[in-house]
Coordinates of all heavy atoms in Angstrom, one line a residue:
V1 N 4.9 -14.2 -6.0 CA 4.6 -13.4 -4.9 C 3.8 -12.2 -5.3 O 4.2 -11.5 -6.3 CB 5.9 -12.9 -4.2 CG1 5.5 -12.0 -3.0 CG2 6.7 -14.1 -3.7
V2 N 2.6 -12.0 -4.7 CA 1.8 -10.9 -5.0 C 2.1 -9.8 -3.9 O 2.1 -10.1 -2.7 CB 0.3 -11.2 -4.9 CG1 -0.6 -10.0 -5.1 CG2 -0.1 -12.3 -5.9
Q3 N 2.5 -8.6 -4.4 CA 2.9 -7.5 -3.5 C 1.9 -6.4 -3.6 O 1.4 -6.0 -4.6 CB 4.3 -7.0 -3.8 CG 5.3 -8.1 -3.7 CD 6.7 -7.6 -4.1 OE1 6.9 -6.5 -4.6 NE2 7.7 -8.5 -3.9
L4 N 1.5 -5.8 -2.4 CA 0.6 -4.7 -2.3 C 1.4 -3.4 -1.9 O 2.1 -3.5 -0.8 CB -0.5 -4.9 -1.3 CG -1.4 -3.7 -0.9 CD1 -2.2 -3.2 -2.1 CD2 -2.3 -4.1 0.2
Y5 N 1.4 -2.4 -2.7 CA 2.0 -1.1 -2.4 C 0.9 -0.1 -2.2 O -0.1 -0.2 -2.9 CB 3.0 -0.7 -3.5 CG 4.1 -1.6 -3.6 CD1 4.1 -2.8 -4.4 CD2 5.3 -1.4 -3.0 CE1 5.1 -3.6 -4.6 CE2 6.4 -2.2 -3.1 CZ 6.3 -3.3 -3.9 OH 7.4 -4.2 -4.1
I6 N 1.2 0.9 -1.3 CA 0.3 2.0 -1.1 C 1.0 3.3 -1.5 O 2.1 3.5 -1.1 CB -0.3 2.0 0.3 CG1 -1.0 0.8 0.7 CG2 -1.1 3.3 0.5 CD1 -2.3 0.6 -0.1
S7 N 0.3 4.1 -2.2 CA 0.8 5.5 -2.5 C -0.2 6.5 -1.9 O -1.4 6.5 -2.2 CB 0.9 5.6 -4.0 OG 1.3 6.9 -4.4
D8 N 0.4 7.4 -1.1 CA -0.4 8.5 -0.6 C -0.4 9.6 -1.6 O 0.7 10.2 -1.9 CB 0.2 8.9 0.8 CG -0.6 10.0 1.5 OD1 -1.5 10.6 0.9 OD2 -0.4 10.1 2.7
L9 N -1.5 9.9 -2.2 CA -1.6 10.9 -3.3 C -1.4 12.3 -2.9 O -1.2 13.2 -3.7 CB -2.8 10.6 -4.1 CG -3.0 9.2 -4.7 CD1 -4.3 9.1 -5.5 CD2 -1.8 8.9 -5.6
K10 N -1.7 12.6 -1.6 CA -1.6 14.0 -1.1 C -1.2 14.1 0.4 O -2.0 14.4 1.2 CB -2.9 14.7 -1.4 CG -2.8 16.2 -1.2 CD -4.1 16.9 -1.6 CE -4.0 18.4 -1.3 NZ -5.3 19.1 -1.5
S11 N 0.0 13.8 0.7 CA 0.5 13.8 2.0 C 1.0 15.2 2.4 O 1.6 15.9 1.5 CB 1.6 12.7 2.2 OG 2.1 12.8 3.5
S12 N 0.9 15.5 3.7 CA 1.5 16.8 4.1 C 3.0 16.7 4.3 O 3.6 17.8 4.4 CB 0.8 17.2 5.4 OG 1.1 16.3 6.5
L13 N 3.5 15.5 4.4 CA 5.0 15.3 4.5 C 5.4 14.5 3.3 O 4.7 13.7 2.8 CB 5.3 14.6 5.8 CG 5.1 15.4 7.1 CD1 5.4 14.5 8.3 CD2 5.9 16.7 7.1
P14 N 6.7 14.6 2.9 CA 7.2 13.8 1.8 C 7.2 12.3 2.2 O 7.5 12.0 3.3 CB 8.7 14.2 1.6 CG 8.7 15.6 2.3 CD 7.7 15.6 3.4
R15 N 6.7 11.5 1.3 CA 6.6 10.0 1.5 C 7.1 9.3 0.3 O 7.1 9.9 -0.8 CB 5.2 9.6 1.8 CG 4.6 10.2 3.1 CD 3.3 9.7 3.4 NE 3.3 8.3 3.9 CZ 2.2 7.6 4.3 NH1 1.1 8.2 4.4 NH2 2.3 6.4 4.7
P16 N 7.5 8.1 0.4 CA 7.9 7.3 -0.8 C 6.7 7.2 -1.8 O 5.6 7.2 -1.4 CB 8.3 6.0 -0.3 CG 8.6 6.2 1.2 CD 7.7 7.3 1.6
L17 N 7.0 7.1 -3.1 CA 6.0 6.9 -4.1 C 5.2 5.7 -3.9 O 4.0 5.6 -4.1 CB 6.6 7.0 -5.5 CG 7.2 8.3 -5.9 CD1 7.8 8.2 -7.3 CD2 6.2 9.4 -5.9
K18 N 5.9 4.6 -3.4 CA 5.3 3.3 -3.2 C 5.8 2.7 -1.9 O 7.0 2.7 -1.7 CB 5.6 2.3 -4.3 CG 5.2 2.7 -5.7 CD 5.7 1.7 -6.7 CE 5.6 2.3 -8.1 NZ 6.4 1.5 -9.0
E19 N 4.9 2.3 -1.0 CA 5.3 1.7 0.3 C 4.7 0.3 0.3 O 3.5 0.1 0.2 CB 4.8 2.5 1.4 CG 5.3 3.9 1.5 CD 4.8 4.7 2.7 OE1 5.0 4.2 3.9 OE2 4.1 5.7 2.5
L20 N 5.6 -0.7 0.5 CA 5.1 -2.1 0.5 C 4.4 -2.3 1.8 O 4.9 -2.0 2.9 CB 6.3 -3.0 0.5 CG 6.0 -4.5 0.6 CD1 5.2 -5.0 -0.6 CD2 7.3 -5.3 0.7
K21 N 3.1 -2.7 1.7 CA 2.3 -2.9 2.9 C 1.8 -4.3 3.1 O 1.2 -4.6 4.1 CB 1.0 -1.9 2.8 CG 1.4 -0.5 2.8 CD 2.1 -0.1 4.1 CE 2.5 1.4 4.1 NZ 3.1 1.8 5.3
G22 N 2.0 -5.2 2.1 CA 1.6 -6.6 2.3 C 2.0 -7.4 1.1 O 2.3 -6.9 0.1
F23 N 2.1 -8.7 1.4 CA 2.4 -9.6 0.3 C 1.9 -11.0 0.6 O 1.6 -11.3 1.7 CB 3.9 -9.7 0.0 CG 4.7 -10.2 1.1 CD1 5.0 -11.5 1.2 CD2 5.2 -9.3 2.1 CE1 5.8 -12.0 2.3 CE2 5.9 -9.8 3.2 CZ 6.2 -11.1 3.3
D24 N 1.8 -11.8 -0.4 CA 1.3 -13.2 -0.3 C 2.0 -14.1 -1.3 O 2.0 -13.7 -2.5 CB -0.2 -13.3 -0.4 CG -0.8 -14.6 0.0 OD1 0.0 -15.4 0.6 OD2 -2.0 -14.9 -0.2
K25 N 2.6 -15.2 -0.9 CA 3.2 -16.1 -1.8 C 2.2 -17.1 -2.3 O 1.5 -17.7 -1.5 CB 4.4 -16.8 -1.1 CG 5.3 -17.5 -2.0 CD 6.5 -18.0 -1.2 CE 7.6 -18.5 -2.2 NZ 8.8 -18.8 -1.5
V26 N 2.1 -17.2 -3.6 CA 1.1 -18.1 -4.2 C 1.7 -19.0 -5.1 O 2.6 -18.6 -5.9 CB 0.0 -17.2 -5.0 CG1 -1.1 -18.1 -5.6 CG2 -0.5 -16.1 -4.1
Y27 N 1.3 -20.3 -5.1 CA 1.9 -21.3 -6.0 C 0.9 -21.6 -7.1 O -0.3 -21.9 -6.8 CB 2.2 -22.6 -5.2 CG 3.3 -22.3 -4.2 CD1 3.0 -22.0 -2.9 CD2 4.7 -22.4 -4.6 CE1 4.0 -21.8 -1.9 CE2 5.7 -22.1 -3.7 CZ 5.4 -21.9 -2.4 OH 6.4 -21.6 -1.5
L28 N 1.3 -21.5 -8.3 CA 0.4 -21.7 -9.5 C 1.0 -22.6 -10.5 O 2.2 -22.6 -10.7 CB 0.1 -20.4 -10.2 CG -0.6 -19.2 -9.4 CD1 -0.6 -18.0 -10.2 CD2 -2.0 -19.7 -9.0
K29 N 0.2 -23.4 -11.1 CA 0.6 -24.2 -12.2 C 0.4 -23.4 -13.5 O -0.3 -22.4 -13.5 CB -0.2 -25.5 -12.3 CG 0.0 -26.4 -11.1 CD -0.9 -27.6 -11.2 CE -0.7 -28.5 -9.9 NZ -1.6 -29.6 -9.8
A30 N 1.0 -23.8 -14.6 CA 0.9 -23.1 -15.8 C -0.6 -22.9 -16.2 O -1.4 -23.8 -16.2 CB 1.6 -23.8 -16.9
G31 N -1.0 -21.7 -16.5 CA -2.4 -21.4 -16.9 C -3.3 -21.2 -15.7 O -4.5 -20.9 -15.9
E32 N -2.9 -21.5 -14.5 CA -3.8 -21.4 -13.3 C -3.8 -20.0 -12.8 O -2.9 -19.2 -12.9 CB -3.2 -22.4 -12.3 CG -4.1 -22.5 -11.1 CD -3.5 -23.5 -10.0 OE1 -2.4 -23.9 -10.1 OE2 -4.3 -23.8 -9.1
S33 N -5.0 -19.6 -12.2 CA -5.1 -18.4 -11.5 C -5.7 -18.6 -10.1 O -6.4 -19.6 -9.9 CB -5.9 -17.4 -12.3 OG -7.2 -17.8 -12.4
K34 N -5.5 -17.7 -9.2 CA -6.1 -17.7 -7.9 C -6.4 -16.3 -7.4 O -5.8 -15.4 -7.8 CB -5.1 -18.3 -6.9 CG -4.9 -19.8 -7.0 CD -4.0 -20.3 -5.9 CE -3.8 -21.8 -6.0 NZ -3.0 -22.3 -5.0
D35 N -7.5 -16.2 -6.6 CA -7.8 -14.9 -6.0 C -6.9 -14.8 -4.7 O -6.7 -15.8 -4.0 CB -9.2 -14.9 -5.5 CG -10.2 -14.7 -6.7 OD1 -9.8 -14.2 -7.8 OD2 -11.3 -15.2 -6.6
V36 N -6.4 -13.6 -4.5 CA -5.5 -13.3 -3.3 C -6.2 -12.2 -2.6 O -6.6 -11.2 -3.2 CB -4.1 -13.0 -3.8 CG1 -3.3 -12.6 -2.6 CG2 -3.5 -14.1 -4.5
S37 N -6.2 -12.3 -1.3 CA -6.7 -11.2 -0.4 C -5.6 -10.7 0.5 O -5.0 -11.5 1.2 CB -7.9 -11.7 0.3 OG -8.4 -10.7 1.2
I38 N -5.3 -9.4 0.5 CA -4.4 -8.8 1.5 C -5.1 -7.7 2.2 O -5.6 -6.8 1.6 CB -3.1 -8.3 0.7 CG1 -2.4 -9.4 0.0 CG2 -2.2 -7.6 1.7 CD1 -1.3 -8.9 -0.9
T39 N -5.2 -7.8 3.5 CA -5.9 -6.9 4.3 C -5.0 -5.9 5.0 O -4.0 -6.3 5.5 CB -6.8 -7.6 5.4 OG1 -7.7 -8.5 4.7 CG2 -7.6 -6.6 6.2
I40 N -5.3 -4.6 4.9 CA -4.5 -3.6 5.6 C -5.5 -2.8 6.5 O -6.7 -2.8 6.3 CB -3.7 -2.7 4.7 CG1 -4.7 -1.9 3.8 CG2 -2.7 -3.4 3.9 CD1 -4.0 -0.7 3.1
D41 N -4.9 -2.2 7.5 CA -5.8 -1.4 8.4 C -5.2 0.1 8.4 O -4.3 0.4 7.6 CB -5.8 -1.9 9.8 CG -4.5 -2.0 10.5 OD1 -3.5 -1.4 10.0 OD2 -4.4 -2.7 11.5
K42 N -5.8 0.9 9.2 CA -5.5 2.3 9.2 C -4.0 2.6 9.5 O -3.4 3.5 9.0 CB -6.4 3.1 10.2 CG -6.3 4.6 10.1 CD -7.3 5.2 11.0 CE -7.3 6.7 11.0 NZ -8.3 7.3 11.9
S43 N -3.4 1.7 10.3 CA -2.0 1.9 10.7 C -1.1 1.7 9.5 O 0.0 2.3 9.5 CB -1.6 0.9 11.8 OG -1.7 -0.4 11.4
A44 N -1.5 0.9 8.5 CA -0.7 0.8 7.3 C -0.6 2.0 6.5 O 0.2 2.2 5.6 CB -1.2 -0.4 6.5
L45 N -1.6 2.9 6.7 CA -1.6 4.2 6.0 C -1.0 5.3 6.8 O -0.9 6.5 6.3 CB -3.1 4.6 5.7 CG -3.9 3.5 4.9 CD1 -5.3 4.0 4.7 CD2 -3.2 3.2 3.6
S46 N -0.5 5.0 8.0 CA 0.1 6.0 8.9 C 1.6 6.3 8.6 O 2.3 5.5 8.0 CB 0.0 5.6 10.3 OG -1.4 5.4 10.7
F47 N 2.0 7.5 9.0 CA 3.4 7.8 9.0 C 3.7 8.6 10.3 O 2.8 9.1 10.9 CB 3.7 8.7 7.8 CG 3.0 10.0 7.7 CD1 3.6 11.1 8.3 CD2 1.8 10.1 7.1 CE1 2.9 12.4 8.3 CE2 1.1 11.3 7.1 CZ 1.7 12.4 7.7
F48 N 5.0 8.6 10.6 CA 5.4 9.3 11.9 C 5.6 10.8 11.5 O 6.3 11.2 10.7 CB 6.7 8.7 12.4 CG 7.0 9.3 13.8 CD1 6.3 8.9 14.9 CD2 7.9 10.3 13.9 CE1 6.6 9.4 16.1 CE2 8.2 10.9 15.2 CZ 7.5 10.4 16.3
D49 N 4.8 11.6 12.3 CA 4.9 13.1 12.1 C 5.8 13.6 13.2 O 5.5 13.5 14.4 CB 3.5 13.7 12.3 CG 3.5 15.2 12.0 OD1 4.5 15.8 12.3 OD2 2.4 15.7 11.6
P50 N 7.0 14.1 12.8 CA 8.0 14.5 13.8 C 7.5 15.8 14.6 O 8.0 16.0 15.7 CB 9.2 14.8 13.0 CG 8.8 15.1 11.6 CD 7.5 14.3 11.5
V51 N 6.6 16.6 14.1 CA 6.1 17.7 14.8 C 5.2 17.3 15.9 O 5.2 17.8 17.0 CB 5.5 18.7 13.8 CG1 4.8 19.9 14.5 CG2 6.5 19.3 12.8
K52 N 4.3 16.4 15.6 CA 3.3 15.9 16.5 C 3.8 14.8 17.4 O 3.2 14.4 18.4 CB 2.0 15.4 15.8 CG 1.3 16.4 15.0 CD 0.1 15.8 14.3 CE -0.6 16.9 13.5 NZ -1.8 16.4 12.8
H53 N 5.0 14.2 17.1 CA 5.6 13.1 17.8 C 4.6 12.0 17.9 O 4.5 11.4 19.0 CB 6.1 13.6 19.2 CG 7.2 14.6 19.1 ND1 8.5 14.4 18.7 CD2 7.1 16.0 19.3 CE1 9.2 15.5 18.7 NE2 8.4 16.5 19.1
A54 N 4.0 11.7 16.8 CA 3.0 10.6 16.8 C 2.8 10.0 15.4 O 3.1 10.7 14.4 CB 1.6 11.2 17.3
W55 N 2.2 8.8 15.3 CA 1.8 8.2 14.1 C 0.5 8.8 13.6 O -0.4 9.0 14.4 CB 1.7 6.7 14.2 CG 3.1 6.1 14.3 CD1 3.7 5.8 15.5 CD2 3.9 5.7 13.3 NE1 5.0 5.3 15.2 CE2 5.1 5.2 13.9 CE3 3.8 5.7 11.9 CZ2 6.2 4.7 13.1 CZ3 4.9 5.2 11.1 CH2 6.0 4.7 11.7
V56 N 0.4 9.2 12.4 CA -0.7 9.9 11.8 C -1.2 9.2 10.5 O -0.4 8.9 9.7 CB -0.4 11.4 11.5 CG1 -1.5 12.1 10.9 CG2 0.1 12.1 12.7
A57 N -2.5 9.1 10.4 CA -3.1 8.6 9.2 C -4.0 9.7 8.7 O -5.1 10.0 9.2 CB -3.9 7.3 9.4
E58 N -3.5 10.5 7.7 CA -4.3 11.6 7.2 C -5.4 11.2 6.3 O -5.2 10.3 5.5 CB -3.3 12.6 6.4 CG -2.3 13.2 7.3 CD -1.4 14.1 6.4 OE1 -1.0 13.7 5.3 OE2 -1.0 15.2 6.9
P59 N -6.5 11.8 6.5 CA -7.6 11.6 5.5 C -7.2 12.0 4.1 O -6.4 12.9 4.0 CB -8.8 12.5 6.0 CG -8.4 12.9 7.4 CD -6.9 12.8 7.5
G60 N -7.7 11.4 3.1 CA -7.4 11.8 1.8 C -7.3 10.6 0.8 O -7.8 9.5 1.1
D61 N -6.8 10.8 -0.4 CA -6.8 9.8 -1.5 C -5.5 9.0 -1.4 O -4.4 9.6 -1.3 CB -7.0 10.5 -2.8 CG -8.3 11.2 -3.0 OD1 -9.3 10.7 -2.4 OD2 -8.4 12.2 -3.6
F62 N -5.7 7.7 -1.6 CA -4.6 6.8 -1.7 C -4.8 6.0 -3.0 O -5.8 5.9 -3.6 CB -4.6 5.9 -0.5 CG -4.2 6.6 0.8 CD1 -5.2 7.3 1.5 CD2 -3.0 6.5 1.3 CE1 -4.9 7.9 2.7 CE2 -2.6 7.2 2.5 CZ -3.6 7.9 3.2
E63 N -3.7 5.3 -3.3 CA -3.8 4.3 -4.5 C -3.1 3.0 -4.0 O -2.0 3.0 -3.5 CB -3.1 4.9 -5.7 CG -3.3 4.1 -6.9 CD -2.8 4.9 -8.2 OE1 -1.7 5.4 -8.1 OE2 -3.6 4.9 -9.1
A64 N -3.9 1.9 -4.2 CA -3.3 0.6 -4.0 C -2.8 0.1 -5.3 O -3.4 0.1 -6.3 CB -4.4 -0.4 -3.5
L65 N -1.5 -0.4 -5.2 CA -0.8 -0.9 -6.4 C -0.5 -2.3 -6.2 O 0.1 -2.7 -5.2 CB 0.4 -0.1 -6.7 CG 0.2 1.4 -6.8 CD1 0.9 2.1 -5.6 CD2 0.7 2.0 -8.1
V66 N -0.8 -3.2 -7.1 CA -0.6 -4.7 -6.9 C 0.3 -5.2 -8.1 O 0.0 -4.9 -9.2 CB -1.9 -5.4 -6.8 CG1 -1.7 -6.9 -6.7 CG2 -2.8 -4.9 -5.7
G67 N 1.3 -5.9 -7.7 CA 2.1 -6.5 -8.8 C 3.0 -7.6 -8.2 O 3.0 -7.9 -7.0
S68 N 4.0 -8.0 -9.0 CA 4.9 -9.0 -8.6 C 6.2 -8.4 -8.0 O 7.0 -9.0 -7.4 CB 5.3 -10.0 -9.7 OG 5.9 -9.2 -10.8
S69 N 6.4 -7.0 -8.3 CA 7.5 -6.3 -7.7 C 7.1 -4.8 -7.8 O 6.1 -4.4 -8.5 CB 8.8 -6.5 -8.4 OG 8.8 -5.9 -9.7
S70 N 7.9 -3.9 -7.2 CA 7.6 -2.5 -7.3 C 7.7 -1.9 -8.7 O 7.2 -0.9 -9.1 CB 8.5 -1.7 -6.4 OG 9.9 -1.8 -6.8
S71 N 8.5 -2.6 -9.5 CA 8.7 -2.2 -10.9 C 7.7 -3.0 -11.9 O 7.8 -2.7 -13.1 CB 10.1 -2.4 -11.4 OG 10.5 -3.7 -11.3
D72 N 6.9 -3.9 -11.4 CA 6.0 -4.6 -12.2 C 4.6 -4.6 -11.6 O 4.0 -5.6 -11.2 CB 6.5 -6.1 -12.3 CG 5.6 -6.9 -13.3 OD1 4.9 -6.4 -14.1 OD2 5.6 -8.2 -13.1
I73 N 4.0 -3.4 -11.6 CA 2.7 -3.2 -11.1 C 1.7 -3.6 -12.2 O 1.8 -3.1 -13.3 CB 2.5 -1.7 -10.7 CG1 3.5 -1.3 -9.6 CG2 1.0 -1.4 -10.3 CD1 3.4 -2.1 -8.4
R74 N 0.7 -4.4 -11.8 CA -0.2 -5.0 -12.8 C -1.6 -4.4 -12.7 O -2.4 -4.4 -13.6 CB -0.3 -6.5 -12.7 CG 1.1 -7.1 -12.7 CD 1.2 -8.2 -13.6 NE 2.6 -8.7 -13.5 CZ 2.9 -10.0 -13.6 NH1 1.9 -10.9 -13.7 NH2 4.1 -10.4 -13.6
T75 N -2.0 -3.8 -11.5 CA -3.3 -3.2 -11.4 C -3.2 -2.1 -10.3 O -2.4 -2.2 -9.4 CB -4.4 -4.3 -11.0 OG1 -5.7 -3.7 -11.1 CG2 -4.2 -4.9 -9.7
K76 N -4.1 -1.1 -10.4 CA -4.1 0.0 -9.5 C -5.6 0.2 -9.1 O -6.5 0.0 -9.9 CB -3.6 1.2 -10.1 CG -2.2 1.2 -10.5 CD -1.7 2.5 -11.2 CE -0.3 2.4 -11.7 NZ 0.1 3.7 -12.3
S77 N -5.8 0.7 -7.9 CA -7.1 1.1 -7.4 C -7.1 2.3 -6.5 O -6.3 2.2 -5.5 CB -7.8 -0.1 -6.8 OG -9.1 0.2 -6.3
K78 N -7.8 3.3 -6.7 CA -7.8 4.5 -5.8 C -8.9 4.3 -4.7 O -9.9 3.7 -5.0 CB -8.1 5.8 -6.6 CG -6.9 6.2 -7.5 CD -7.2 7.5 -8.1 CE -6.0 7.9 -9.0 NZ -6.2 9.2 -9.7
F79 N -8.6 4.8 -3.5 CA -9.5 4.8 -2.4 C -9.3 6.0 -1.6 O -8.3 6.7 -1.7 CB -9.4 3.5 -1.6 CG -8.1 3.3 -0.9 CD1 -8.0 3.6 0.4 CD2 -7.0 2.7 -1.6 CE1 -6.8 3.4 1.1 CE2 -5.8 2.5 -0.9 CZ -5.7 2.9 0.4
T80 N -10.3 6.3 -0.7 CA -10.2 7.5 0.1 C -10.3 7.1 1.6 O -11.2 6.3 1.9 CB -11.4 8.5 -0.2 OG1 -11.2 8.8 -1.6 CG2 -11.3 9.7 0.6
L81 N -9.5 7.6 2.4 CA -9.5 7.4 3.9 C -10.2 8.7 4.4 O -9.8 9.8 4.2 CB -8.1 7.3 4.5 CG -8.1 7.2 6.0 CD1 -8.8 5.9 6.5 CD2 -6.6 7.3 6.5
N82 N -11.4 8.5 5.1 CA -12.1 9.6 5.7 C -11.7 9.8 7.1 O -11.3 9.0 7.8 CB -13.6 9.3 5.6 CG -14.1 9.2 4.2 OD1 -13.7 10.0 3.3 ND2 -14.9 8.2 3.9

């Protein structure tokens, strides 16, 4: 199972260090590899703001973390939401 976690690097409210946002189950034979694509949208970057009483996706820097579990991250990639 390939798991995608998102980390908000500068949120105005406390958030978990890693939030699971997508996954894909892949079957491989020994030595085999496959490309996996997991798509997220702006709502996956949102959190509920209790002051605004609304879901908010703040602009800023995020990090996508990909691995087989939250404790086995194999690659990371930073991106910015404008």
Side-chain angles (χ1 to χ4, degrees):
V1 177
V2 178
Q3 298 178 354
L4 170 65
Y5 294 87
I6 298 294
S7 178
D8 188 340
L9 300 178
K10 192 176 177 185
S11 177
S12 63
L13 294 177
R15 294 182 74 172
L17 295 176
K18 300 173 194 166
E19 296 179 60
L20 180 63
K21 297 298 181 176
F23 63 91
D24 193 9
K25 193 169 191 176
V26 183
Y27 296 94
L28 300 173
K29 296 177 183 174
E32 187 179 11
S33 66
K34 287 186 181 178
D35 289 332
V36 175
S37 178
I38 301 172
T39 303
I40 60 168
D41 60 15
K42 191 175 179 179
S43 67
L45 305 177
S46 300
F47 62 91
F48 188 78
D49 186 328
V51 174
K52 295 178 181 177
H53 298 285
W55 288 91
V56 177
E58 294 179 319
D61 295 328
F62 292 82
E63 190 168 47
L65 307 114
V66 180
S68 60
S69 74
S70 64
S71 61
D72 185 21
I73 300 300
R74 309 228 178 144
T75 189
K76 300 176 183 182
S77 180
K78 289 186 181 179
F79 65 96
T80 301
L81 177 64
N82 295 318

